[in-house]
Amino acid sequence: MEPGNQTSVSDFWLLGFSQDSGHQPILFGLFLSMFVVIMLGNLLIILAVSSDPHLHTPMYFFLSNLSFVDICFTSTTIPKMLVNIQAHSKAITYAGCITQIYFFLVFGGMDTFLLTVMAYDRFVAICHPLHYPVIMNPRLCGQLVLVSWFISFTYSLIQSLLMLRLSFCTNWAISHFYCELAQALTLACSDTLINHIVLYTVTGLLGIIPFSGILFSYIQIASSILRIPSADGKYKAFSTCGSHLSVVSLFYGTGLGVYLSSNASSWSGMIASVMYTVVTPMLNPFIYSLRNRDMKRALQKVLGRTFCVQ
């Protein structure tokens, strides 16, 4: 095929882990196992929250949304990677690549916004406990989630439409296991200045503003906890946000590992991406269930009913 506009592009090639053909069966088994754990773990969280009236609170409402987003986030990349490994193929169609970029940005953005909203929820619960039921009312919780979805869909749509205007060269190889936007832009023959401006400006804002909100919330939370006179009171206050703080640390720690990696297409860069896109969604259910007595009780009820039905 000759170089031209996007209509001449049939497939992109996802090199990623397929470059090491000797370890394909091991990689397939590893990622399939992690995908199953992600699906089951997050589905159990959603079922536990929806079935237990004691968990019908803002914190668990946001947690169930986070579990749903994590399911969708990993479903955007892992199934295609597994198919390619099993079929010994590296191809993804042009339409499939654009679609993957779109949904990856949607759900990745939602992860960021939900963690920020959950930090605000913990801030209100600890710093303004008497006003918590009034401030975090169901209407506000719903509005926060809807606004997060709207921003994520809008930003992803803009990026996808900007991709559609590009022409591509004869090199359509992406050195990653999914269609990573920044790498896809390097394959374009046409001017990508607008794409890069939108990518780095909006992505920077969507990263800095939520992170600043989380940081502000936890500074206020720490200040309030330190003013509690008893050690037992401090422990109880911290335990209410310990799980969320662990998830935030894991999410942003692995995310920074991706973007601070010297070469995103290297093995180290791809390992950082796996931590960010696969390992973090897999660990979230364990973090919230193991550190939360109410969640463990709800999960036991769900599992008990499941085994009774069987």
Side-chain angles (χ1 to χ4, degrees):
M1 289 181 286
E2 298 296 326
N5 62 22
Q6 65 271 18
T7 59
S8 66
V9 180
S10 61
D11 295 317
F12 285 99
W13 299 93
L14 301 177
L15 303 182
F17 295 109
S18 64
Q19 299 177 65
D20 189 358
S21 58
H23 296 89
Q24 295 300 294
I26 297 175
L27 290 173
F28 181 83
L30 178 63
F31 282 107
L32 178 61
S33 301
M34 289 194 291
F35 185 63
V36 171
V37 171
I38 291 169
M39 294 294 109
L40 291 178
N42 285 288
L43 280 173
L44 281 174
I45 293 291
I46 295 172
L47 288 173
V49 172
S50 61
S51 62
D52 192 336
H54 295 95
L55 300 184
H56 292 175
T57 63
M59 180 177 71
Y60 295 110
F61 169 70
F62 296 133
L63 175 59
S64 61
N65 276 272
L66 181 66
S67 293
F68 172 74
V69 168
D70 280 343
I71 289 173
C72 297
F73 189 39
T74 51
S75 298
T76 303
T77 56
I78 298 181
K80 179 57 181 175
M81 178 176 60
L82 292 175
V83 169
N84 283 4
I85 291 175
Q86 185 68 15
H88 302 286
S89 170
K90 304 173 184 178
I92 183 171
T93 63
Y94 171 78
C97 186
I98 299 296
T99 302
Q100 193 176 71
I101 288 173
Y102 175 77
F103 285 109
F104 185 89
L105 293 175
V106 168
F107 300 122
M110 276 302 298
D111 260 336
T112 304
F113 290 131
L114 284 174
L115 289 176
T116 307
V117 169
M118 292 170 78
Y120 175 71
D121 173 74
R122 293 299 83 203
F123 160 71
V124 176
I126 294 175
C127 299
H128 305 283
L130 298 179
H131 299 93
Y132 180 78
V134 178
I135 296 175
M136 298 304 297
N137 57 76
R139 181 178 179 182
L140 177 64
C141 294
Q143 288 174 342
L144 289 172
V145 172
L146 286 176
V147 169
S148 298
W149 279 112
F150 176 77
I151 296 174
S152 297
F153 277 126
T154 303
Y155 167 62
S156 303
L157 182 61
I158 291 172
Q159 287 286 15
S160 301
L161 292 176
L162 288 174
M163 278 289 293
L164 292 174
R165 56 180 282 276
L166 298 179
S167 302
F168 290 90
C169 305
T170 53
N171 176 24
W172 302 313
I174 298 175
S175 300
H176 222 303
F177 61 90
Y178 65 92
C179 278
E180 204 268 331
L181 177 59
Q183 287 197 41
L185 291 178
T186 64
L187 306 180
C189 295
S190 52
D191 183 21
T192 60
L193 177 61
I194 296 177
N195 297 72
H196 280 101
I197 290 174
V198 173
L199 173 62
Y200 293 115
T201 302
V202 181
T203 303
L205 290 173
L206 295 182
I208 292 172
I209 294 175
F211 182 74
S212 299
I214 293 173
L215 192 61
F216 171 80
S217 296
Y218 275 103
I219 289 173
Q220 298 299 312
I221 289 171
S223 177
S224 295
I225 290 176
L226 291 175
R227 289 197 296 267
I228 298 175
S230 66
D232 187 56
K234 290 179 180 178
Y235 174 77
K236 287 182 179 179
F238 178 76
S239 65
T240 64
C241 59
S243 298
H244 179 256
L245 187 58
S246 301
V247 171
V248 168
S249 301
L250 185 63
F251 181 82
Y252 277 97
T254 55
L256 286 174
V258 173
Y259 292 105
L260 295 180
S261 176
S262 58
N263 184 4
S265 62
S266 66
W267 269 95
S268 60
M270 281 190 286
I271 293 299
S273 295
V274 169
M275 292 294 295
Y276 173 70
T277 60
V278 181
V279 176
T280 300
M282 182 180 68
L283 293 180
N284 284 354
F286 294 100
I287 293 173
Y288 277 105
S289 60
L290 293 177
R291 294 180 59 92
N292 191 299
R293 194 175 304 166
D294 294 332
M295 182 58 69
K296 284 193 285 188
R297 190 182 302 115
L299 287 172
Q300 288 171 354
K301 290 180 180 178
V302 170
L303 292 173
R305 283 198 296 267
T306 301
F307 287 125
C308 286
V309 170
Q310 291 177 350

